[in-house]
Amino acid sequence: MEAPAAARNPAETDLTVTSPEQMRDLGRRLAGLLRAGDLVMLSGELGAGKTTLTRGLGEGLGVRGAVTSPTFVIARVHPPLGDGPPLVHVDAYRLGGGLDEMEDLDLDVSLPESVIVVEWGEGKVEELTEERLQVRIHRAVGDTTDEVRRVTVTGLGERWTSADLTALAN
C-alpha cells in the first residue's frame, strides 16, 4: 500500500490500494481503531470494494459469520466471537429515503453497543450521530481491469479529532 498523502487535518488520510487483499487488510487495520458506538459510512461505485473492506473489518473485529453483501436483506448482524462489539452491516442501496426509511432497522438502538457499517449511507444515516468515519473509495469506471483504488478516510466529530488515521497505511 502506498504511503498516504499529507493529511489535510488530523482526522483525514488518503490511501492507495492496489488489490482486493490490500482492501481487506485495510479493513483489518481500520477495525483496530473502532469501538462500540462507531458508525462507518462507505461510499463508492459498484465494485469499488466496500464489502471487501467490510470483510476485513469483520475479521479484525473477530465476529462470527461470513461478511457478505446484505443487499437483499438490507442488514446483517455479526455477533462477536469474543469480548468485542457486534458488527451491524447495512446496505442502504435499495433504500431511497433518509433515516425515516431506515427506522425499522433500529440502528439508533444498535449503535451504542455495536460497530455499524453502512454502504451507500450518504444522505440516509448522518442523523444517527455527528461522530462517524466516512470512507470514500474511488476506482476507475468503465471497461477496466484496474484494481487500483483511492481511499479517503475522514473522521467527523469529536471522537475522531485526535485519531491518527495515517496509521492505516502501515
Side-chain angles (χ1 to χ4, degrees):
M1 187 174 308
E2 187 178 300
R8 287 182 278 284
N9 65 51
E12 182 170 287
T13 192
D14 293 306
L15 307 160
T16 299
V17 175
T18 60
S19 70
E21 294 78 21
Q22 284 189 357
M23 186 66 77
R24 202 166 178 163
D25 288 344
L26 175 58
R28 285 187 203 103
R29 287 192 305 281
L30 185 57
L33 299 176
L34 298 175
R35 63 182 186 216
D38 284 340
L39 172 66
V40 180
M41 291 176 40
L42 304 178
S43 61
E45 296 289 325
L46 286 169
K50 295 178 296 295
T51 300
T52 300
L53 179 78
T54 307
R55 276 191 198 103
L57 277 170
E59 291 168 8
L61 290 171
V63 298
R64 187 172 0 137
V67 174
T68 59
S69 178
T71 300
F72 297 104
V73 295
I74 309 300
R76 292 186 199 281
V77 177
H78 298 275
L81 292 170
D83 294 334
L87 171 65
V88 178
H89 184 198
V90 179
D91 186 333
Y93 183 74
R94 295 183 179 280
L95 302 177
L99 191 58
D100 290 343
E101 191 172 341
M102 297 188 73
E103 278 185 357
D104 290 340
L105 299 177
D106 287 332
L107 295 180
D108 54 338
V109 173
S110 300
L111 185 59
E113 70 270 357
S114 305
V115 169
I116 297 181
V117 176
V118 182
E119 297 185 30
W120 305 98
E122 286 184 322
K124 298 173 185 171
V125 297
E126 289 91 341
E127 294 173 30
L128 284 174
T129 179
E130 291 180 8
E131 299 184 342
R132 61 188 176 276
L133 272 183
Q134 174 66 52
V135 180
R136 289 189 172 90
I137 306 171
H138 307 277
R139 70 171 184 91
V141 293
D143 187 17
T144 181
T145 59
D146 187 1
E147 294 289 336
V148 175
R149 306 291 192 261
R150 307 277 184 241
V151 181
T152 302
V153 181
T154 306
L156 302 168
E158 189 174 331
R159 156 84 171 94
W160 298 103
T161 55
S162 63
D164 181 12
L165 297 179
T166 61
L168 294 172
N170 297 329

